[in-house]
Amino acid sequence: MAAAPFDETPVAELPPPPAGWRLFGWIALTFALAFAVHTAAALILSIVVAALLALLLAPAVKALVRLKIPQAFAAAMVMLSLVALVVGLAVNLYEPVQKWANFGPADLRMIDRKLRTFVKPMQSMQEMADKMAQIASPDDPRKTQVVVERGEPFALVTSVQDAVFSLLTTLMLAYFLLASGDIFLRKAVRVMPKLRDKIRVVEIAREVQTEIGRYFLTITFLSVCLGTATALSMWALGMPTPLLWGVMAGLLNFVPYLGPIIALLVISLVSLFTFDQPMDIVAPPAVFLLLHFIEGQLAEPMIMGDRFAINPVVIFVWVLIWGWLGGAIGVLIAVPLLVALRICAQRIDSMAKFAEIIGN
C-alpha cells in the first residue's frame, strides 16, 4: 500500500499579540512571581542567609583546613564559634532590651516635658511636641489594658517557634554548605563539555568568591569598628546600656541610608529621655553623626573604592523588596546580596547589561 503523500502546504502563522496584551502578560507574570516569592519568603530567606553566611565564613574554614583539620570538623568549629558569639551577645543584651521594651506612656510624657523646654524657641517643634503629648496621654488608661488582655497568647508562642525553626534551618544549611567545600564547583566543572568551558567556570567561581568574601569581610570590619566606637562613645557620654547602641549601630550599618537614620533617631530619643541639660542631650546624636561620617564618607570609600558602588535608587528599591519579603532580616541582607549579584554580573558576559543598570 502506497504511503500518502506529505502535504507541504505552508501553515499560516498566527499574528503576534498586540503590544498592549504583551505588556499585560508581563505585568501579570511579574505579580504572579512576586506572590509566589512572598508565599515562600521564609524558605527563600533561610536559603539566602545560609548562602551569605557560608560565603562570609568560608575563609575561616579554609584557614583551618590548611592546618590539616578535616573540612566537616572545621566547619563545625566555625559555626559553633558563631553561635557562641551570638548567644553571648544575646545574654548580655537581654536586660537592656527588656528595659527599653517596657517604655510606656509615662516615659513619653516625661520626654514631652523635656522636649517642650528644649524646643521652646521653635514654634513648629512646639506644635509637634503638643501632638506627642496628646498621643502620650490616653483618655482612658483602662482601654489600653483591655487591648493588652485581649491579645492571643498562642500567637507569640507560634512566632517564636517559627523563628527558632527558621534559625536552626539556616544554621544547618550554612554548615552543610561549608562542610561540602567545593563539591558544587567540581560538579559544575564535570558537566561542562569543553576544556575551555571548564577553565572559565573555575576562573569565574574563584574570582566571584574572592570578591564577595572581600566585600563581606570589609563591610563587617567597618560595621564592627563603628559599633565599637559608638558603644565606647555612648559609655563615655553617660548613656545607659551603651553595648546595646553599639550593636544596633553596627547591624544597621549594613542598611544604607535608612539604617543610620534609624540609629540616629533611637539614640536621640534615648538621650532626650536620659539627660536634662541641652548640651548633654545633643552630645550623643552629634557624636554618632560624626562617627558615621568618618565611617561612611572617609573610611569606606578609601577601603572599598568604586568596585562595589551601586545606584542609590536601585539600593532603595532593593531594600524595600527584601524588607517586604523578610522584614528586618531581609533589610539587613539586602545590600550584601545586591553587591554579590553585581560582582557576579561583572564577571559573566550574559549579565553585563544587568551590571550596567545597577551600577552607580
Side-chain angles (χ1 to χ4, degrees):
M1 182 177 179
F6 181 74
D7 188 5
E8 298 182 355
T9 304
V11 179
E13 295 183 359
L14 294 176
W21 284 102
R22 289 199 300 268
L23 178 60
F24 176 78
W26 280 110
I27 294 175
L29 179 62
T30 302
F31 276 100
L33 182 61
F35 178 77
V37 171
H38 183 65
T39 304
L43 176 61
I44 294 174
L45 196 64
S46 296
I47 295 174
V48 172
V49 172
L52 292 178
L53 277 177
L55 285 171
L56 180 61
L57 301 176
V61 175
K62 290 181 179 179
L64 294 176
V65 171
R66 285 195 291 268
L67 297 177
K68 306 302 182 182
I69 298 177
Q71 181 88 20
F73 189 64
M77 290 176 60
V78 172
M79 291 300 300
L80 289 176
S81 300
L82 176 64
V83 171
L85 177 62
V86 173
V87 171
L89 280 176
V91 170
N92 285 279
L93 294 177
Y94 175 77
E95 291 186 3
V97 171
Q98 187 69 21
K99 171 186 175 181
W100 294 106
N102 295 326
F103 197 82
D107 301 315
L108 289 177
R109 285 193 290 270
M110 183 178 65
I111 291 177
D112 172 65
R113 290 194 297 270
K114 292 183 180 182
L115 191 60
R116 288 174 181 269
T117 303
F118 186 72
V119 299
K120 189 175 182 179
M122 305 172 61
Q123 184 63 30
S124 60
M125 294 298 292
Q126 181 67 49
E127 295 174 358
M128 184 182 299
D130 292 336
K131 293 180 181 180
M132 287 182 60
Q134 295 175 3
I135 296 174
S137 302
D139 296 334
D140 187 2
R142 292 173 297 177
K143 186 183 296 183
T144 305
Q145 183 67 26
V146 171
V147 172
V148 173
E149 290 179 354
R150 289 181 180 178
E152 297 182 4
F154 296 103
L156 180 61
V157 176
T158 303
S159 300
V160 171
Q161 289 178 346
D162 293 341
V164 171
F165 178 76
S166 298
L167 178 62
L168 292 177
T169 303
T170 301
L171 292 177
M172 290 178 63
L173 179 57
Y175 166 75
F176 286 127
L177 289 174
L178 290 172
S180 62
D182 295 333
I183 184 172
F184 293 105
L185 177 59
R186 292 196 296 269
K187 289 180 178 295
V189 171
R190 194 176 301 136
V191 299
M192 288 292 109
K194 299 179 180 180
L195 178 61
R196 181 180 58 186
D197 296 333
K198 296 177 185 292
I199 296 175
R200 182 173 176 79
V201 167
V202 173
E203 290 177 348
I204 292 177
R206 297 300 186 192
E207 191 171 2
V208 168
Q209 187 177 27
T210 300
E211 291 294 325
I212 292 176
R214 186 178 301 167
Y215 168 79
F216 284 148
L217 290 177
T218 302
I219 196 65
T220 302
F221 171 75
L222 291 174
S223 299
V224 169
C225 290
L226 177 63
T228 303
T230 301
L232 292 176
S233 301
M234 297 302 108
W235 172 77
L237 293 172
M239 286 276 284
T241 62
L243 179 61
L244 178 60
W245 315 129
V247 173
M248 178 194 69
L251 290 177
L252 289 176
N253 192 50
F254 285 92
V255 184
Y257 310 121
L258 187 61
I261 294 176
I262 296 175
L264 178 64
L265 290 176
V266 172
I267 291 175
S268 301
L269 183 63
V270 173
S271 178
L272 186 63
F273 174 79
T274 304
F275 303 110
D276 296 322
Q277 299 300 321
M279 291 302 297
D280 295 335
I281 295 174
V282 171
V287 169
F288 174 75
L289 273 178
L290 177 62
L291 292 175
H292 176 67
F293 175 82
I294 294 174
E295 185 273 335
Q297 303 299 323
L298 300 178
E300 185 174 331
M302 183 174 58
I303 296 176
M304 302 182 68
D306 297 331
R307 291 180 303 166
F308 307 114
I310 300 176
N311 191 298
V313 177
V314 176
I315 292 178
F316 187 76
V317 174
W318 188 258
V319 170
L320 288 180
I321 292 173
W322 278 96
W324 171 66
L325 286 176
I329 301 298
V331 169
L332 287 176
I333 68 171
V335 175
L337 181 62
L338 183 59
V339 171
L341 288 176
R342 191 196 176 195
I343 293 172
C344 294
Q346 288 175 331
R347 303 305 187 275
I348 300 175
D349 295 337
S350 59
M351 299 178 65
K353 295 181 179 180
F354 177 76
E356 181 65 26
I357 292 174
I358 68 175
N360 195 0

